[in-house]
Amino acid sequence: MTDLRDKYIQAIADAGDENVLEALRVQALGKKGEISLQMRELGRMTPEERQTAGPALNALKDEINSALAARKESLGDAALNDRLRSEWLDVTLPARGRRQGSIHPISQVTEEVTAIFADMGFAVAEGPQVDTDWYNFDALNIPGHHPARAEMDTFYMHRAPGDNRPPHVLRTHTSPVQIRHMEKHGAPCRIIAPGRVYRADYDQTHTPMFNQVEGLAIDKDISMANLKWVLEEFFAAFFEVDGIKTRFRASHFPFTEPSAEVDIQCSWVDGQLKIGEGDGWLEVLGSGMVHPHVLRSAGVDPSQWQGFAFGMGIDRIAMLKYGIPDLRAFFDSDLRWLRHYGFASLDVPTLHGGLSR
Ligand code: DAH
């Protein structure tokens, strides 16, 4: 019995983790453990033998149990000490510089445009960026053979052979939102639709994804005069120049009749562009009176309703307002650029609080 004792006490002292301890416990005190078996032998002993062997076995059992418990506790302490040693933190280190995100110029300008048009009673509408070619073209009076389809460098979505759903495109402009909005809400309406558009084009002033804002106002008696007033109000507020001059040039878009491209007054002095002064002109948008075909496509009766529409590049007016020379930098995610051209996140643009301060 002394051998047994020495064997287990030593093994418990040497156990490196709790699994080994548990195995030792089973080996000694489990149902078929060495000590348990010996206790079963007690029944076959003479009463005299039992009188000494019984208490001795019980004492051995207690001793092993408390050795196991003690070892278990010290293993736990060691594990804790290891963790404390490896997970320490030097709270006296100097703090890292505070980093702050900023608002991207596109988001900022979208908010500014929205605030100005909201003040004139325009709601914001949205449409999908992947749309059918019917919404992007046909409904807007651009039939299959029309050269405008080719000019737009459209991205077509892949179609498996045998798939006879209508062809889908990445929308090339925000104009399809006109159709979707009128289809759902009818006339009268007054909306802007800012969002991403896509064309396969890439240079200093073109990126395959860019941002436009569409405008649409439909009622019984809306005319080009309303269009001119709304746009002049917009430019004065956006560029923060009172009485900014605009120039309407006759143009052609399939979805408007008549159509006009709109320029704003500017000057170039010493290579510096100034908006709202001088006698230069900068083209900023396309517009016109909504074509009857467009109204009909959206289920609006052109003998009852009429109105204007316009489409403007958000990135372009952002570049003009904030003097950003290269469009491609908008989408490079260069932190230095974002810190330089970004806006403070708590300065939400409003007409009363200031658009861009
Ligand atoms: N959708 C045109 C484009 O992307 C812009 C445009 C022109 C929109 C005239 C209009 C409009 O609503 O009336 O080039």
Side-chain angles (χ1 to χ4, degrees), residues 41 45 50 69-71 80 92 105 122 155 165 178 194 199 226 231 235 246 270 275 277 306 318 322 337 352:
E41 297 295 309
M45 293 180 185
R50 204 180 302 141
R71 182 66 189 147
L80 182 62
T92 66
F122 285 75
F155 288 111
R165 285 174 301 176
Q178 292 185 28
R199 292 180 203 177
N226 300 117
L231 290 178
F235 290 125
T246 57
D270 301 329
I275 306 287
E277 57 171 63
Q306 62 181 39
Y322 294 112
W337 188 91
H352 56 274

Side-chain angles (χ1 to χ4, degrees), residues 173 175 178 199 212 214 253 255-256 286-288 309-311:
H173 51 182
S175 303
Q178 292 185 28
R199 292 180 203 177
Q212 284 190 336
E214 195 77 12
F253 299 103
F255 27 89
T256 43
S287 65
F310 61 85

Side-chain angles (χ1 to χ4, degrees), residues 38-354:
Q38 291 210 7
M39 287 183 122
R40 235 170 279 163
E41 297 295 309
L42 291 174
R44 284 196 226 124
M45 293 180 185
T46 63
E48 294 76 44
E49 284 172 333
R50 204 180 302 141
Q51 232 165 28
T52 50
L57 273 173
N58 269 327
L60 178 57
K61 186 179 157 189
D62 289 348
E63 191 181 354
I64 288 180
N65 263 330
S66 46
L68 284 167
R71 182 66 189 147
K72 191 169 173 177
E73 196 179 314
S74 71
L75 281 175
D77 287 351
L80 182 62
N81 283 332
D82 274 353
R83 266 187 67 190
L84 289 174
R85 225 173 295 119
S86 64
E87 293 178 10
W88 69 280
L89 182 71
D90 184 352
V91 293
T92 66
L93 279 177
R96 264 201 254 156
R98 257 230 277 177
R99 303 195 183 172
Q100 208 168 35
S102 61
I103 300 295
H104 194 282
I106 301 291
S107 307
Q108 169 77 18
V109 166
T110 303
E111 289 295 325
E112 293 179 21
V113 169
T114 304
I116 297 168
F117 280 105
D119 193 56
M120 293 191 274
F122 285 75
V124 173
E126 287 185 310
Q129 294 177 38
V130 178
D131 214 339
T132 63
D133 65 349
W134 187 82
Y135 280 102
N136 195 76
F137 295 122
D138 302 75
L140 292 162
N141 199 29
I142 315 174
H145 58 267
H146 198 284
R149 287 212 187 191
E151 276 163 30
M152 284 216 177
D153 303 306
T154 311
F155 288 111
Y156 283 86
M157 304 304 285
H158 174 73
R159 268 207 302 180
D163 184 346
N164 47 23
R165 285 174 301 176
H168 281 70
V169 299
L170 289 178
R171 67 178 182 193
T172 58
H173 51 182
T174 43
S175 303
V177 186
Q178 292 185 28
I179 307 292
R180 287 186 172 275
H181 184 81
M182 286 190 286
E183 238 178 18
K184 207 163 167 197
H185 303 282
C189 68
R190 220 186 295 175
I191 53 141
I192 57 164
R196 295 177 180 203
V197 301
Y198 303 83
R199 292 180 203 177
D201 207 353
Y202 189 72
D203 62 31
Q204 190 174 347
T205 51
H206 297 90
T207 49
M209 186 281 292
F210 59 105
N211 295 268
Q212 284 190 336
V213 58
E214 195 77 12
L216 177 71
I218 303 291
D219 212 321
K220 297 275 179 188
D221 53 3
I222 292 208
S223 72
M224 289 289 274
N226 300 117
L227 171 66
K228 189 164 199 295
W229 182 85
V230 164
L231 290 178
E232 284 178 348
E233 283 289 306
F234 169 73
F235 290 125
F238 181 75
F239 289 108
E240 299 170 71
V241 187
D242 278 340
I244 185 173
K245 284 197 194 114
T246 57
R247 183 171 78 172
F248 282 59
R249 269 180 301 106
S251 181
H252 175 265
F253 299 103
F255 27 89
T256 43
E257 180 58 39
S259 305
E261 279 174 301
V262 180
D263 304 338
I264 53 170
Q265 182 191 13
C266 71
S267 72
W268 279 99
V269 181
D270 301 329
Q272 259 247 315
L273 175 67
K274 290 232 168 76
I275 306 287
E277 57 171 63
D279 46 17
W281 297 101
L282 254 177
E283 184 195 320
V284 282
L285 60 82
S287 65
M289 296 301 291
V290 177
H291 195 288
H293 178 100
V294 173
L295 296 173
R296 236 177 279 120
S297 303
V300 169
D301 180 359
S303 68
Q304 300 272 324
W305 304 97
Q306 62 181 39
F308 66 75
F310 61 85
M312 177 163 57
I314 291 186
D315 324 63
R316 184 163 164 74
I317 60 169
M319 289 167 82
L320 294 175
K321 180 168 179 178
Y322 294 112
I324 304 171
D326 192 324
L327 177 62
R328 292 169 296 194
F330 276 87
F331 312 115
D332 282 346
S333 303
D334 182 331
L335 275 180
R336 292 163 303 178
W337 188 91
L338 290 168
R339 287 200 190 107
H340 182 77
Y341 287 109
F343 292 82
S345 51
L346 293 175
D347 294 345
V348 178
T350 58
L351 283 179
H352 56 274

